[in-house]
Amino acid sequence: MESCAELSGIAQTLWDNDVNRLQPGIDYKISLQEQVGQTYTEVTGKTTFPLFLFVNEDVFKKKTFSAFISLLDNYEADRGQPEVITPEEENEIHSFLDALMETRVLQIAHNYLIKKGRAKVNKEEFQWQLYDMWFHLYTREGSIQPNSSGFEHVFVGETRGGRTVIGFHNWIQFYLQEKLGHVDYRGYTMPNNQVEQPDENKHLLTLQFSWKKGVKPNGSCFLGVSPEFEFALYTIIFLVSPDRQLKLRFSEYEVMIVCHSNKNKNIETTYPILLRYLVNSWSVEKMSLRMYTLNPPQNSDVSMWSSLIILYPSEFMPILLMRTTPHPPNRRIYAELIYRAELIYRA
């Protein structure tokens, strides 16, 4: 299984290439309002405003967004109802997969998985692999007919027993359902391992809401990211480290990615949990590395700087590679650092 440091590196690369990501405060605006509890006995929150105050819906005209949204009405929310995929819905799934594979984000994920021996090399075969993981219908507990899929659970959401919302970890679905009056945002929550208050200008949130007469006392999702980013990140995690909780560090976030599969090796659930923001430590580390370009490290610092490159390859590699003439006394140390950096950068 790949290390969390390596997976943090590929997550950062996906993040850097997510050109369709929305910018908080510009492309969308949210209102966190009140903190609420995390259990069914604490479902008492009632906010004044919806979570989303504004979203620039022009982004929904982009190919992956449009294809993604076309899938959201293809499923029965009640887990007790069997799912049937019509020919039209089947075509919509393949149109979505086609659109994904045109993005740089999915191409990066595909190439990475090929190098790890976890993905089909042929593009069409890889798309069928994605189909089986995400869209193949299977039977969840309590049903004798296929009633769920990884895509439905993670991105669309399901209800259980008319009381509980399960899955539903996507911001686009949340926004569209809230706009229709089907979602009632109750407030934000703070998991026991989250050490900082959430920020309206960040891309991660843990929250409480109700939907279709059911309640989600404690759910989490990325905000503003593109469908291809989530699809790529979760696919990589599922194929290289299934059934684990992985702590990743990328951009400004330390995140726990939860991922579980069923007995048939389909995605059962996957979602992020915000642990803390890295903006302060990130600034310190970046400044320190810029200082390094003037003062190369001693032997004891090589591992530390190599770790920084693992965590932030897209930021640190250009800085390191700009320095082509290290001080002669430290040539060996610098050469070792560059060698490690290049291995990570090209992985």
Side-chain angles (χ1 to χ4, degrees):
M1 289 186 179
E2 282 62 30
S3 68
C4 290
E6 179 179 336
L7 292 172
S8 291
I10 190 64
Q12 181 65 54
T13 302
L14 297 176
W15 184 269
D16 292 341
N17 284 273
D18 187 16
V19 297
N20 288 329
R21 183 172 63 249
L22 282 69
Q23 295 304 310
I26 299 175
D27 298 313
Y28 71 92
K29 184 174 178 58
I30 64 171
S31 176
L32 291 176
Q33 300 167 77
E34 299 180 2
Q35 181 181 350
V36 294
Q38 303 177 55
T39 66
Y40 287 103
T41 59
E42 299 174 298
V43 179
T44 58
K46 184 62 178 177
T47 55
T48 304
F49 303 104
L51 173 63
F52 284 94
L53 301 180
F54 161 78
V55 173
N56 177 9
E57 294 193 5
D58 285 344
V59 300
F60 295 160
K61 299 175 184 177
K62 295 182 177 181
K63 197 169 184 179
T64 53
F65 283 83
S66 175
F68 175 83
I69 291 171
S70 72
L71 302 177
L72 298 179
D73 62 355
N74 292 351
Y75 299 93
E76 296 288 341
D78 185 353
R79 202 176 71 171
Q81 297 295 318
E83 296 289 355
V84 177
I85 303 297
T86 67
E88 179 183 359
E89 292 169 347
E90 188 79 12
N91 289 335
E92 289 176 344
I93 291 173
H94 290 290
S95 293
F96 175 60
L97 293 175
D98 287 340
L100 288 179
M101 291 304 298
E102 292 176 6
T103 66
R104 179 64 180 146
V105 171
L106 251 294
Q107 291 164 7
I108 289 169
H110 187 202
N111 290 334
Y112 175 79
L113 290 167
I114 289 173
K115 291 178 182 179
K116 296 299 177 182
R118 304 301 176 92
K120 303 290 186 181
V121 175
N122 179 272
K123 177 182 172 181
E124 291 184 0
E125 291 181 350
F126 178 59
Q127 286 188 219
W128 279 110
Q129 187 178 2
L130 294 176
Y131 181 96
D132 288 338
M133 290 165 44
W134 284 102
F135 295 99
H136 180 79
L137 295 178
Y138 57 81
T139 301
R140 285 189 183 267
E141 182 181 357
S143 177
I144 60 174
Q145 293 180 291
N147 63 344
S148 187
S149 69
F151 181 87
E152 178 188 8
H153 182 86
V154 174
F155 294 106
V156 183
E158 302 175 279
T159 59
R160 180 174 58 202
R163 178 175 179 268
T164 306
V165 175
I166 57 175
F168 204 133
H169 298 288
N170 179 256
W171 75 270
I172 300 174
Q173 168 73 337
F174 190 101
Y175 166 72
L176 293 174
Q177 290 293 298
E178 186 176 56
K179 183 180 177 182
L180 292 171
H182 298 161
V183 159
D184 182 14
Y185 171 64
R186 302 293 185 85
Y188 69 89
T189 65
M190 290 187 62
N192 295 332
N193 50 5
Q194 182 177 324
V195 298
E196 294 182 75
Q197 292 284 331
D199 187 329
E200 293 179 352
N201 292 310
K202 304 298 183 185
H203 287 280
L204 275 161
L205 180 64
T206 306
L207 70 167
Q208 182 185 111
F209 63 95
S210 60
W211 177 59
K212 294 184 180 292
K213 300 181 180 180
V215 174
K216 184 84 172 182
N218 190 35
S220 58
C221 62
F222 287 105
L223 295 175
V225 299
S226 70
E228 55 264 33
F229 172 80
E230 288 192 272
F231 216 81
L233 178 62
Y234 295 150
T235 295
I236 288 173
I237 298 299
F238 176 76
L239 288 176
V240 303
S241 297
D243 299 310
R244 295 180 64 193
Q245 295 186 11
L246 299 176
K247 185 183 294 186
L248 304 185
R249 300 179 72 196
F250 59 91
S251 185
E252 301 175 5
Y253 312 100
E254 183 172 78
V255 183
M256 185 77 73
I257 301 293
V258 178
C259 182
H260 296 294
S261 63
N262 62 18
K263 62 182 179 181
N264 296 319
K265 302 302 180 184
N266 310 116
I267 290 177
E268 192 162 71
T269 191
T270 183
Y271 55 90
I273 301 174
L274 173 65
L275 300 180
R276 66 188 179 100
Y277 299 122
L278 300 176
V279 62
N280 293 331
S281 58
W282 158 247
S283 298
V284 171
E285 289 166 350
K286 185 158 64 172
M287 181 61 70
S288 296
L289 191 58
R290 290 189 186 281
M291 291 175 63
Y292 158 80
T293 63
L294 299 176
N295 301 289
Q298 301 302 311
N299 284 307
S300 60
D301 296 323
V302 172
S303 295
M304 178 184 71
W305 291 117
S306 295
S307 297
L308 291 179
I309 294 166
I310 291 173
L311 294 173
Y312 311 110
S314 62
E315 285 284 344
F316 290 162
M317 276 302 299
I319 298 171
L320 289 175
L321 295 177
M322 281 192 299
R323 182 179 173 79
T324 58
T325 311
H327 298 312
N330 296 287
R331 185 179 299 276
R332 184 186 61 79
I333 301 172
Y334 185 81
E336 180 182 353
L337 187 58
I338 289 296
Y339 173 72
R340 293 191 192 185
E342 288 179 341
L343 288 179
I344 296 164
Y345 194 64
R346 296 172 181 172

